[in-house]
Amino acid sequence: MELDNIPFLSQEHTTMSEAIKTPSDLPVSEMSDPALGKDLLTEVLRKGARELLAQAVEQEVHEWLGERAGLTDERGRRLVVRNGHLPERTILTGIGPVAVRQPRVHDRRPTAERELFSSKILPPYLRKTKSLEELIPWLYLKGISTGGFQDALQALVGPECPGLSANTIVRLKEVWQQEYDVWSKRSLAGKEYVYVWADGIHSNVRLEDDRVCLLVLIGVTTEGTKELLAVESGFRESKDSWREVLRDLKRRGLTIAPKLAVGDGALGFWAALREEWPSTREQRCWVHKTANVLDKMPKSIQPNAKAKLHEIWMAPTRAEAIKAFDIFLETYGAKYEKACECLKKDRDELLTFYDFPAEHWKHLRTTNPIDSTFATSRLRHRRTKGNGTRQATLTMLFKLAESAAHHWRPLDGAKLLIEVAKDQISRRPNPHPSRRLIH
């Protein structure tokens, strides 16, 4: 269906103000009366939405019937025609419930030839708009407790919305579990990920003694699209736990090893990586490394030390990075040996990103794709003191990542990923050296 033909999207058809007709249909003096408990703006929007939605569906049916106008019987009568309306139903939206009626279509052809009209605007079983469906898990994942869920929803979409209660979350969590089970067994045959980011997310579990560690992998395809690869429960960040995650990916068809893996200094992941994907190169996360180094230095000198660390990984060339690296060790080595040893032991792995296209450097220096995605989980756990079970934590973090994935940006320089995948890496200096200190 052409969008330009929908009445409320066309300049020559009904405008919003014409559809709403506020002055005659919704007197301001009546609508603004607090005693009636009504909100003028909300009612205006609902009425406008109802009328514009009706026009859009009418146009959709009109076009569908028009495409079949040539279907006639021996007497010239059309075989596919309008036949009144379906029963009215209510759609829950971000502005509250909106009542809609959909035209009914009658196909009088033989049973084997009949077509069922299904509106793309109003699917048969639609009860909530997509924005509201996403709002429900979003509220829960952002830290609203089950008990306070209904109050939050009523404040956002109005008290008239039925079916939005604490029980909604209970049912949703069951659905999320089913979705996770299907997702975690999906085939990866034919997939190729050029880079992967790995990290362990630690979380409290109220009804169990131990903290849960969720092992997370995010990969980027040869087209530059980031995808959630794995979210699995592990025993801390042990080699055995990570090895099982990597082996599971291989069992499900991921036969091509990534060119580069980015992670923090957790030894378990790197030990497993060297066994399962020995050709994959290693890049340590500079954010984690910076925090670990500064933790071994007095607070009074941490700002200056941090600036010098930034000079290393924001340098426009490897040669300048090595120079800045040596300056840091010379400056602080005598007094803060542990801090410098922490930095020096991963020297090569901290500078691996320089062997890849400069357009990708800002993506490869840190595990930010994982850290930023799961920052919300930490907020929720501070407010709710963790999920009740290990499985609930796993499912919740999966849904959180799935929701965040809709907003993940493609990698800069995506066209260069094909070159990287084929080992045709072009080692170029930073194309924007003046931006070296911008992270």
Side-chain angles (χ1 to χ4, degrees):
M1 181 179 62
E2 297 294 333
L3 293 180
D4 291 340
N5 294 330
I6 298 178
F8 67 86
L9 296 179
S10 174
Q11 292 289 337
E12 62 189 41
H13 291 87
T14 308
T15 64
M16 187 68 170
S17 58
E18 292 171 341
I20 294 173
K21 300 177 184 177
T22 307
S24 59
D25 293 348
L26 299 171
V28 174
S29 59
E30 178 181 331
M31 293 302 302
S32 59
D33 185 354
L36 297 177
K38 295 182 179 179
D39 173 15
L40 170 62
L41 180 58
T42 300
E43 291 300 325
V44 166
L45 291 173
R46 286 181 189 171
K47 177 175 172 56
R50 183 167 56 249
E51 296 193 9
L52 296 177
L53 182 59
Q55 291 179 19
V57 176
E58 287 283 352
Q59 180 67 25
E60 185 182 28
V61 172
H62 178 75
E63 289 185 6
W64 196 85
L65 292 174
E67 294 170 357
R68 294 154 182 78
L71 301 174
T72 59
D73 60 16
E74 63 278 1
R75 300 170 65 180
R77 296 179 301 184
R78 295 176 61 170
L79 293 173
V80 184
V81 296
R82 283 279 303 269
N83 185 27
H85 287 82
L86 294 171
E88 184 178 272
R89 57 184 165 131
T90 299
I91 307 296
L92 299 184
T93 75
I95 56 172
V98 174
V100 295
R101 294 185 71 200
Q102 179 179 318
R104 190 198 306 268
V105 174
H106 182 40
D107 190 339
R108 296 182 288 201
R109 289 176 290 175
T111 303
E113 301 177 16
R114 289 176 186 169
E115 296 178 80
L116 179 65
F117 170 75
S118 180
S119 172
K120 295 179 181 179
I121 300 173
L122 287 176
Y125 301 104
L126 180 69
R127 291 294 180 267
K128 304 181 186 74
T129 60
K130 188 65 176 177
S131 60
L132 192 59
E133 284 184 344
E134 291 181 350
L135 171 66
I136 294 173
W138 184 86
L139 284 174
Y140 179 72
L141 297 173
K142 293 295 183 183
I144 301 298
S145 65
T146 305
F149 191 73
Q150 191 164 13
D151 291 341
L153 278 171
Q154 288 181 352
L156 288 168
V157 300
E160 309 96 328
C161 293
L164 300 180
S165 64
N167 290 333
T168 302
I169 282 297
V170 176
R171 293 192 299 269
L172 274 174
K173 286 194 284 190
E174 295 175 355
V175 173
W176 295 348
Q177 177 61 56
Q178 295 169 6
E179 291 177 354
Y180 171 77
D181 291 341
V182 172
W183 176 83
S184 63
K185 295 178 176 62
R186 73 199 185 286
S187 172
L188 297 173
K191 301 289 286 187
E192 181 176 4
Y193 298 94
V194 183
Y195 305 134
V196 295
W197 294 266
D199 203 357
I201 308 299
H202 298 266
S203 176
N204 292 323
V205 180
R206 291 198 309 272
L207 304 182
E208 298 179 16
D209 294 333
D210 297 331
R211 297 189 77 203
V212 64
C213 177
L214 300 182
L215 309 179
V216 181
L217 276 176
I218 292 176
V220 64
T221 67
T222 53
E223 292 79 29
T225 303
K226 295 174 189 171
E227 294 182 0
L228 188 65
L229 257 177
V231 180
E232 298 287 349
S233 177
F235 178 72
R236 299 178 182 174
E237 293 188 62
S238 68
K239 171 185 173 180
D240 290 342
S241 295
W242 273 115
R243 182 170 53 193
E244 181 55 35
V245 171
L246 299 183
R247 287 181 176 177
D248 180 62
L249 296 177
K250 293 166 71 174
R251 282 194 294 265
R252 290 190 279 123
L254 188 60
T255 58
I256 303 175
K259 296 301 178 182
L260 179 72
V262 185
D264 62 14
L267 299 179
F269 172 71
W270 300 115
L273 182 78
R274 290 163 195 152
E275 286 189 10
E276 301 301 324
W277 287 335
S279 63
T280 300
R281 300 189 64 189
E282 302 176 13
Q283 170 65 46
R284 299 293 187 270
C285 171
W286 268 102
V287 170
H288 286 85
K289 179 59 71 176
T290 298
N292 291 337
V293 170
L294 295 180
D295 189 52
K296 297 171 174 59
M297 306 178 83
K299 290 186 177 180
S300 60
I301 67 169
Q302 285 183 6
N304 288 335
K306 184 177 181 180
K308 289 187 180 299
L309 289 171
H310 278 210
E311 285 288 339
I312 303 172
W313 54 274
M314 296 303 288
T317 66
R318 178 189 287 273
E320 292 190 42
I322 292 174
K323 182 179 179 180
F325 208 114
D326 292 338
I327 290 175
F328 184 93
L329 296 179
E330 292 171 5
T331 303
Y332 299 108
K335 289 187 176 181
Y336 311 107
E337 184 178 353
K338 289 185 178 180
C340 289
E341 184 59 33
C342 177
L343 179 66
K344 186 168 56 176
K345 70 185 180 70
D346 290 322
R347 180 175 186 138
D348 292 340
E349 290 79 8
L350 285 166
L351 303 179
T352 306
F353 69 89
Y354 281 107
D355 289 334
F356 293 84
E359 290 82 352
H360 299 167
W361 291 355
K362 71 177 182 180
H363 303 289
L364 303 180
R365 290 181 290 222
T366 74
T367 55
N368 183 63
I370 294 178
D371 296 333
S372 60
T373 296
F374 291 99
T376 306
S377 71
R378 298 183 179 94
L379 168 64
R380 172 165 181 79
H381 282 270
R382 281 199 299 271
R383 292 183 177 178
T384 63
K385 297 181 174 59
N387 291 97
T389 66
R390 180 180 296 263
Q391 191 60 48
T393 301
L394 177 63
T395 304
M396 188 272 286
L397 288 177
F398 162 68
K399 289 304 295 183
L400 179 67
E402 187 181 57
S403 176
H406 296 305
H407 309 288
W408 286 346
R409 292 177 57 249
L411 234 65
D412 290 350
K415 294 181 180 179
L416 298 171
L417 288 166
I418 295 293
E419 295 181 23
V420 177
K422 295 180 178 179
D423 292 321
Q424 299 172 345
I425 303 172
S426 176
R427 294 178 175 85
R428 299 185 298 277
N430 186 348
H432 306 292
S434 61
R435 303 179 191 173
R436 57 184 293 186
L437 294 179
I438 300 176
H439 175 47

